Amino acid sequence: MSVDTFNIVRGLHILAVIAWMAGMLFLPRLFAYDAEQAGKAEPLRSEMQALLREWQRRLLKIIINPSMIAAWVFGVWMIFIHVYTFGAGWGFVAQPWMATKLLAVTALSGWHGFLAGEFRRIGAGTSVRTGRFWRLTNEIPFLIAIIAVLSVTIEWRFG
């Protein structure tokens, strides 16, 4: 496997992460708009909620879920390239910067799972989250992404 293959895999990983992040930054905004429909009069409330829930479903199923899977697949592929092609060995994943990135990606995946669960709760009418909650937590994925990106670009180490 060549460096060119690694660069293609890395580029596809970056594109998948961009799509994943875009979706996870937009979905809470749709949840906020949905929660704020509660005080509206019918039939506008029902019509708007139906539209928002369709957008939420499409965003999850068409963009967020596939891009998360692609980000993980290309990310794991890059790890295997480092370990087996570049000869980094499995100690590579224990380096502080890489371990931090993997923890950040796990946190992003957990937030993704929380959003998917909340989508189901919203659809079932059991969500207790407010528009304010969604606005306050909207930037969580971006904050986690800052940690992941800086870990990779700086490749910091102890000592």
Side-chain angles (χ1 to χ4, degrees):
M1 189 171 303
S2 69
V3 173
D4 289 339
T5 301
F6 176 77
N7 286 333
I8 290 168
V9 172
R10 181 172 47 183
L12 292 171
H13 175 70
I14 291 167
L15 291 169
V17 170
I18 289 169
W20 187 25
M21 289 297 301
M24 289 206 308
L25 290 168
F26 188 50
L27 187 59
R29 193 57 66 174
L30 292 176
F31 289 167
Y33 299 152
D34 192 309
E36 291 165 354
Q37 297 308 306
K40 304 279 170 81
E42 289 294 348
L44 181 61
R45 178 184 60 182
S46 296
E47 290 173 5
M48 193 61 172
Q49 281 181 325
L51 182 62
L52 287 165
R53 290 174 190 181
E54 179 60 18
W55 290 347
Q56 294 164 17
R57 185 190 68 74
R58 287 181 181 178
L59 189 57
L60 264 170
K61 303 297 180 193
I62 297 171
I63 296 173
I64 299 174
N65 291 344
S67 60
M68 180 199 71
I69 292 166
W72 270 98
V73 166
F74 293 123
V76 169
W77 191 354
M78 283 193 299
I79 289 172
F80 277 92
I81 291 171
H82 271 282
V83 171
Y84 294 111
T85 303
F86 297 162
W90 283 104
F92 164 75
V93 297
Q95 292 179 18
W97 68 271
M98 188 60 172
T100 302
K101 184 200 175 172
L102 293 173
L103 285 171
V105 172
T106 301
L108 281 172
S109 298
W111 183 250
H112 177 146
F114 174 75
L115 293 177
E118 192 62 25
F119 170 72
R120 289 188 292 277
R121 286 185 285 279
I122 289 169
T126 60
S127 176
V128 296
R129 311 282 181 219
T130 64
R132 185 172 191 274
F133 170 85
W134 292 115
R135 282 186 172 76
L136 289 173
T137 60
N138 191 61
E139 302 306 321
I140 287 174
F142 185 67
L143 296 174
I144 296 170
I146 289 170
I147 294 166
V149 169
L150 290 179
S151 290
V152 170
T153 55
I154 296 170
E155 291 190 12
W156 60 277
R157 304 179 196 299
F158 294 122

